[in-house]
Amino acid sequence: MTRVLLIEDDIWMAQCYKQWLAADNIVVAHALDAQSGLEVLDQYTPKAIVLDMALPYANGVQVLHALQSHHDLADIPVIVCSSTVPSDMPSLTQFGVVQVLHKATLHPRVFRHAVKQAINRAAV
Amino acid sequence: MNSMVRLEGEFAQWAAVAHELKSPLVLIKHLSDTLIEKDVYLTTQQQIEYANRIKLTAERMLRFTQHMSLGFRLHSENQAVFAFATEPVNINEVCQSVAHDYTPLAYACGQELRVQSLRRNCVAIANRDILYDIIANLTDNALRHNAPKGIVHLQASRRGSKVRLQVADQGNEVTRQEYLRLQHTIGKQMQPLSGRSGTSGIGLYIVGQLAHAMGGVVGVGRGAIGGQAFFIDMARSSQLQLL
């Protein structure tokens, strides 16, 4: 079973994403903040990470830095999914970000496609 | 120069309002997409639950825009437009009224709303509608930022010539630095809180302005079991015979 980590502080929004990915038999582990997300990564390595940038206390950029600081986490593909996202994609690529999604215009099929692409990238 | 500074300040307020409105609109969109998308399977009970979440989020946005309207009227150049009366208000009744209106949202969020009223009715000098708006805004924030399956406490208390209405949650606490700054800035500046993502501080700013307009004071403290507590202190009235 394919597992993805979702770091998102809005519970209802996270449940929407879980339902969308359930259609593709992708299981989602949900963390409400950066610290909880890193604790999940202590337990197992997901195929991909979906990351909101606006999180309590530590923001998404700090999460990206933390991921890059661990050799076993640095290669996990990250999809940034946020309402407040910098459009400077090249600067995020160095942090393992493979795609940036804007919540305001996000469609479930686009989200599912992005996650499946990231998982396939991790499999290569 | 003064008008430029004022325009900048107004723009900052508008930007903050836009930011606060965006998140619930995005949520409504996602909830609707989940209901509509044919590949996503939801049981009948789940469909009802998601439709209810759309309704509750829309109601939350309506209350927020009403709160904004009250706040903007305070800053109207024509202050006479926003004259309001104060009167003896039963604060137990206000607490119960807010709790009644917010219980559906609390239930949908998997949280509990508890009211601790005073055993004897207590009366404050206030405008009932504005006081309700203040407590409703604090309650909405508490539910929004509370710990999963947490409890939000609405508490009425009195001390000497003052009465206090407090809303306490069990969510992320503000940092010590923010807490010390809030003691001086609450109601005077917009201050987003790092432990409560997605906030611009405009709601709390307007709460402070409304409280001040009624002759009250807004403050912040720690919750009894972690979390954060926000309160309003008002003058107590001895006119119990009017209840």
Side-chain angles (χ1 to χ4, degrees):
Chain A
M1 186 161 290
T2 308
R3 283 199 281 193
V4 163
L5 171 62
L6 168 66
I7 306 179
E8 164 64 60
D9 64 326
D10 188 314
I11 294 175
W12 286 358
M13 207 167 292
Q15 288 177 346
C16 286
Y17 298 152
K18 282 186 181 179
Q19 290 290 346
W20 298 355
L21 293 178
D24 298 311
N25 293 319
I26 296 172
V27 174
V28 175
H30 174 219
L32 286 168
D33 52 49
Q35 182 60 35
S36 305
L38 293 173
E39 287 171 6
V40 169
L41 291 169
D42 281 342
Q43 296 168 22
Y44 69 89
T45 305
K47 293 296 183 188
I49 298 172
V50 178
L51 174 66
D52 183 14
M53 295 300 270
L55 297 169
Y57 300 126
N59 60 32
V61 173
Q62 291 166 298
V63 174
L64 292 173
H65 277 281
L67 292 173
Q68 291 300 306
S69 70
H70 298 279
H71 73 275
D72 57 330
L73 303 178
D75 291 331
I76 302 175
V78 178
I79 298 169
V80 167
C81 182
S82 183
S83 297
T84 53
V85 178
S87 56
D88 184 13
M89 185 62 188
S91 71
L92 294 177
T93 305
Q94 62 183 312
F95 295 111
V97 174
V98 299
Q99 194 160 354
V100 172
L101 302 174
H102 295 261
K103 281 182 180 175
T105 54
L106 185 61
H107 188 278
R109 273 176 231 156
V110 172
F111 180 82
R112 290 163 58 197
H113 178 71
V115 171
K116 283 186 285 188
Q117 263 198 324
I119 291 169
N120 290 337
R121 179 189 289 246
V124 171
Chain B
M1 184 60 134
N2 284 342
S3 60
M4 282 179 63
V5 171
R6 185 174 60 83
L7 279 171
E8 278 183 15
E10 286 178 2
F11 178 76
Q13 286 187 331
W14 280 110
V17 171
H19 174 74
E20 293 262 4
L21 285 174
K22 190 177 178 184
S23 289
L25 282 171
V26 169
L27 178 59
I28 286 174
K29 182 186 176 309
H30 284 4
L31 291 166
S32 303
D33 281 337
T34 307
L35 281 170
I36 293 167
E37 185 66 11
K38 63 178 176 57
D39 290 340
V40 175
Y41 172 73
L42 295 172
T43 63
T44 304
Q45 185 56 39
Q46 284 177 317
Q47 289 173 26
I48 295 170
E49 187 180 350
Y50 275 67
N52 190 41
R53 288 178 180 181
I54 292 171
K55 170 179 167 287
L56 291 169
T57 306
E59 286 175 347
R60 177 177 253 170
M61 287 182 66
L62 285 168
R63 284 193 290 262
F64 177 74
T65 55
Q66 187 175 345
H67 184 64
M68 293 295 109
S69 297
L70 270 177
F72 287 141
R73 285 168 69 189
L74 270 180
H75 286 274
S76 166
E77 290 186 29
N78 184 1
Q79 290 292 323
V81 172
F82 193 47
F84 58 86
T86 56
E87 57 185 348
V89 174
N90 183 342
I91 61 172
N92 278 346
E93 183 275 329
V94 174
C95 276
Q96 296 290 349
S97 183
V98 171
H100 174 267
D101 292 343
Y102 277 82
T103 293
L105 179 59
Y107 181 76
C109 294
Q111 298 176 30
E112 186 182 341
L113 199 53
R114 285 186 194 169
V115 180
Q116 187 174 339
S117 306
L118 289 161
R119 274 182 300 169
R120 293 169 60 184
N121 280 327
C122 188
V123 180
I125 305 296
N127 178 285
R128 198 259 176 209
D129 290 340
I130 294 178
L131 184 59
Y132 175 95
D133 181 88
I134 289 171
I135 302 303
N137 182 270
L138 295 178
T139 303
D140 187 281
N141 278 338
L143 288 171
R144 187 175 153 195
H145 298 289
N146 204 12
K149 300 181 184 176
I151 303 170
V152 170
H153 288 270
L154 270 67
Q155 183 181 25
S157 61
R158 63 172 164 233
R159 191 168 184 174
S161 62
K162 299 287 183 187
V163 293
R164 172 172 290 188
L165 279 175
Q166 176 171 288
V167 181
D169 61 57
Q170 295 172 316
N172 290 330
E173 296 176 0
V174 300
T175 64
R176 177 160 175 78
Q177 194 176 10
E178 287 169 339
Y179 177 75
L180 292 172
R181 196 161 59 227
L182 268 176
Q183 306 298 324
H184 304 287
T185 63
I186 192 166
K188 297 173 189 166
Q189 293 176 22
M190 289 191 293
Q191 182 176 330
L193 302 175
S194 61
R196 307 196 163 206
S197 66
T199 62
S200 63
I202 192 166
L204 193 57
Y205 169 74
I206 291 177
V207 161
Q209 293 279 302
L210 291 172
H212 180 73
M214 281 197 305
V217 174
V218 168
V220 58
R222 295 293 190 207
I225 313 173
Q228 212 59 53
F230 293 90
F231 59 83
I232 174 171
D233 286 338
M234 295 159 292
R236 185 178 159 200
S237 168
S238 58
Q239 297 187 42
L240 283 174
Q241 63 271 23
L242 296 179
L243 293 177

